[in-house]
Amino acid sequence: MEQKTVLITGASRGIGAACARRFAGSGYRVALNYCRSEEAAQALAEELRLAGGTVELFQADMRDTGQVTHMVDNVLDKFCQLDILVCNAGIARQQLFTDISDQDWRDLFNVNVDGTFRCCRAVLPHFIHRKAGRIITLSSIWGITGGSCEVAYSATKAAIIGLTKALAKEVGPSGITVNCVAPGVIDTDMNGALTAEDLEALRLETPLERIGRPEDVAECVYFLASEGAGFLTGQVLSPNGGILI
Ligand code: NAP
């Protein structure tokens, strides 16, 4: 079988790193994007190469159109082909709605929504030319149901669902699928500010009685990129342990 190439944004840590491990472990060539966590990204690339994986690092800030375009051009130069884009890079912020500054609001949209838009726009000419390609975006349960003290984050994650559905309709005739993964509470740095009591309360609220692992999300992303998901597009898959049904 022809080796496929996946570009994963924000793959230096957390869910993105778990996705990189999942794809590399299954023989995909992995283009691993990071922004600030160079050491972590290099350590991950080294780990995957030692296990026999084909991995290249691409530094780019999702807030910068030039850097995103350059990253996609470099991935195509290096691997000649791109099959899957995982728009995972994201930031979160917990604050009262009335405390959100214009800058806070813009920062969250710039990384989460505009970054996803920039990546999709940069890879699509290649996907359309090939009449093939898979795009997987990352939303959140808060983008579906709304999270108190996370209004800006929830709004960005709801926007990503809208982007996913509309883009799926537009590029479906070109043989491209666009789907979204909307995780529940996952044990990563993003939830580092939660206290042990907060996490325990969330665990008890979850029918499956545990906090999610990055691997739970990576499995969904991997499935949406697989042959078996070929007739799925514009869908939202939510690995959340039942906290949102
Ligand atoms: P994380 O552990 O905080 O990691 C965030 C990743 O995003 C890092 O690799 C970081 O790269 C990258 N990133 C941040 N700003 C960036 C920028 N401007 N340009 C490029 N990369 C940037 O977060 P996570 O929990 O793995 O979250 C990954 C995705 O899942 C996010 O979209 C998040 O919203 C979503 N999600 C998470 C949860 C959860 O409970 N954890 C739940 C639902 C959805 P560097 O460190 O290299 O800068």
Side-chain angles (χ1 to χ4, degrees), residues 12-13 15 35-37 61-62 88 153 157 186 188 191:
S12 49
R13 299 183 281 120
I15 291 167
C35 184
R36 285 161 298 257
S37 304
D61 187 330
M62 293 301 116
N88 165 78
Y153 179 72
K157 293 295 168 177
I186 308 297
T188 69
N191 288 318

Side-chain angles (χ1 to χ4, degrees), residues 32 52 66-67 76 118 167 194 199 206:
L32 198 155
Q67 291 188 31
L76 289 171
R118 291 182 183 108
L167 188 59
L194 295 179
L199 283 171
T206 306

